[in-house]
Amino acid sequence: MKILILICLISSISSTIDKFVIHSIDDCWTNERNITISDTYGVLISFSPTLADRIDPCSIHISNPWSSDIQNGLAVYFPHTMDCSSTITVDCLPGSALLHQTTPTSIQFKCRMNSSDTIMPCSSISLTSKRNTSHTGSRRVVDIQVIALAKEPCTNKDKFFQCSKDYPRSCIARKLRCNGQTECPSGDDEYRCENSYGEGYVPLGLIILLILGFMFVACIVSTVLICCFCRAACHAIIRRFHPSKKQKLFQKGDITVISGEEAGLMKGLTASSVVDALPQQHTEPTSLIIDSTKPVYPRLP
C-alpha cells in the first residue's frame, strides 16, 4: 500500500500539468487577494461542489505565460459534461484583448453543455462559478481545462507542439505532450507517446517502477540474510547453554570421544602398562643330565 501511495505521489509531482482545486473562499479572486495563475502553460481548474455553500460566485484569473508577441489566446474546454448544479462564465479581463482582436463577449456553460474548442482571444481570462439555485439534486466537481496558445509557425519541435485537429493556427507547449493529461480535445497530444521521444526513450513512470522493484527485491534479500544470521546465532547460544541429548548421555557415562590416532596411542600405552603391572614369574633352570653309558659324539660343522 505504501508503495502505491509513493507511486501516485511521484507521478503527481512529475506531471507537467498543474491542477488547482478551488474549495474555499481563500482560493477565489478578490480585490484584496489578487490571485492570478500566470506561470503555467496548462492548468486544470476544479471547482469543489461545497464551494457554493461558502461563497457565491467565485472567480479565478488566468493569464497566458507566452511572450506578448507570440500569444494567441487561451483555449478553454471541459473534459466532462457540465454539471447542472452551477454555471461557469468565461470572460476576457479588461484590457487583455490581443492586438487587432475585438474583446469577445462572455461565454456561459450551463447544464449538460460541453466545450471542445473554445478559444478566448485575450491574454487573461476569468472563470466564474455560480450556483444554480433551481437545482435540487446532488453536486459534483466541475473540471475546466485551460491551455495557453502561441502563434504559428510551430517549427521549433523542442518548444512547441501543434494539435492537428484542434486550435487552428496555434501551438501549445511541447512539455504538455505525453504528460498523461489531454490538452488537445482530440487527444493528439497523448497519441503514440511511447515513440514520441525517439528510440531509446524510457518513460519516467517505468524508471520509477524499476527503482521501486529493485528496492523491494533488495529489502527481501536483506531480510532473509538477517533472519538466517539471527537463526544461526540463536542455535549457537542454545547449544552453548543447553547441550543436546547425545552430549548429555556421553557426560552421564563418563565417555570421552577421541580421534582414531589418539585411540591407537592410548591402546599402546595401556598394553605396555598392563604388561609392567603383571607379576614376573621366575623359573628355575633345569639340571643337565648326562648318561655315561652312551657315547657322545662331537657335532661336525
Side-chain angles (χ1 to χ4, degrees):
M1 186 64 183
K2 293 181 179 180
I3 295 177
L4 293 178
I5 294 175
L6 181 60
I7 293 175
C8 295
L9 179 62
I10 296 175
S11 300
S12 62
I13 294 175
S14 61
S15 177
T16 56
I17 182 71
D18 293 322
K19 182 175 181 179
F20 291 88
V21 179
I22 313 303
H23 56 80
S24 69
I25 187 174
D26 295 333
D27 301 322
C28 302
W29 186 93
T30 62
N31 291 329
E32 292 78 15
R33 294 184 303 274
N34 189 355
I35 303 173
T36 302
I37 303 173
S38 59
D39 57 352
T40 177
Y41 296 93
V43 59
L44 181 65
I45 304 295
S46 297
F47 286 98
S48 173
T50 60
L51 180 65
D53 297 333
R54 303 174 183 178
I55 183 172
D56 187 46
C58 176
S59 297
I60 299 297
H61 291 186
I62 306 170
S63 63
N64 194 326
W66 294 111
S67 58
S68 58
D69 57 327
I70 64 172
Q71 288 184 6
N72 205 26
L74 291 162
V76 179
Y77 82 93
F78 293 80
H80 312 289
T81 304
M82 182 64 192
D83 184 29
C84 295
S85 62
S86 60
T87 300
I88 301 296
T89 303
V90 183
D91 280 309
C92 284
L93 295 177
S96 64
L98 299 178
L99 187 62
H100 305 304
Q101 296 283 350
T102 58
T103 303
T105 57
S106 60
I107 302 176
Q108 285 191 346
F109 297 94
K110 300 181 180 180
C111 179
R112 297 186 178 87
M113 292 180 61
N114 201 348
S115 170
S116 60
D117 194 2
T118 300
I119 298 177
M120 302 297 291
C122 45
S123 59
S124 301
I125 63 173
S126 68
L127 302 178
T128 303
S129 174
K130 184 174 178 60
R131 179 175 54 181
N132 185 3
T133 56
S134 61
H135 179 73
T136 57
S138 60
R139 291 176 291 180
R140 63 182 183 182
V141 175
V142 179
D143 293 329
I144 307 171
Q145 189 81 32
V146 181
I147 309 298
L149 302 179
K151 296 179 182 179
E152 290 182 323
C154 307
T155 54
N156 188 348
K157 300 301 181 182
D158 295 331
K159 186 176 182 180
F160 300 113
F161 175 79
Q162 189 169 26
C163 303
S164 59
K165 301 177 182 178
D166 311 292
Y167 316 138
R169 299 180 298 278
S170 299
C171 316
I172 66 173
R174 174 69 187 188
K175 66 179 182 178
L176 299 180
R177 168 87 164 116
C178 296
N179 66 342
Q181 179 71 36
T182 302
E183 279 74 36
C184 301
S186 61
D188 287 349
D189 58 318
E190 300 297 322
Y191 178 65
R192 297 182 64 181
C193 286
E194 63 276 8
N195 298 324
S196 60
Y197 291 93
E199 185 178 0
Y201 169 74
V202 180
L204 179 61
L206 180 59
I207 296 176
I208 294 173
L209 290 178
L210 290 175
I211 294 175
L212 292 176
F214 175 78
M215 293 173 60
F216 180 73
V217 173
C219 289
I220 292 178
V221 173
S222 60
T223 302
V224 171
L225 293 177
I226 292 174
C227 290
C228 293
F229 176 78
C230 293
R231 181 179 179 182
C234 291
H235 286 182
I237 294 174
I238 292 173
R239 287 194 299 268
R240 175 66 178 83
F241 295 99
H242 298 280
S244 62
K245 293 182 178 180
K246 187 175 181 180
Q247 292 174 343
K248 289 181 179 179
L249 292 175
F250 284 146
Q251 291 176 0
K252 288 181 179 180
D254 294 329
I255 298 175
T256 304
V257 179
I258 59 177
S259 62
E261 183 179 354
E262 293 175 348
L265 181 59
M266 291 292 294
K267 183 177 180 181
L269 293 175
T270 304
S272 60
S273 61
V274 169
V275 172
D276 294 338
L278 290 176
Q280 300 293 330
Q281 297 179 0
H282 300 280
T283 58
E284 296 294 335
T286 58
S287 60
L288 179 61
I289 302 173
I290 300 175
D291 189 359
S292 60
T293 61
K294 295 181 180 181
V296 179
Y297 301 96
R299 182 178 294 180
L300 298 176

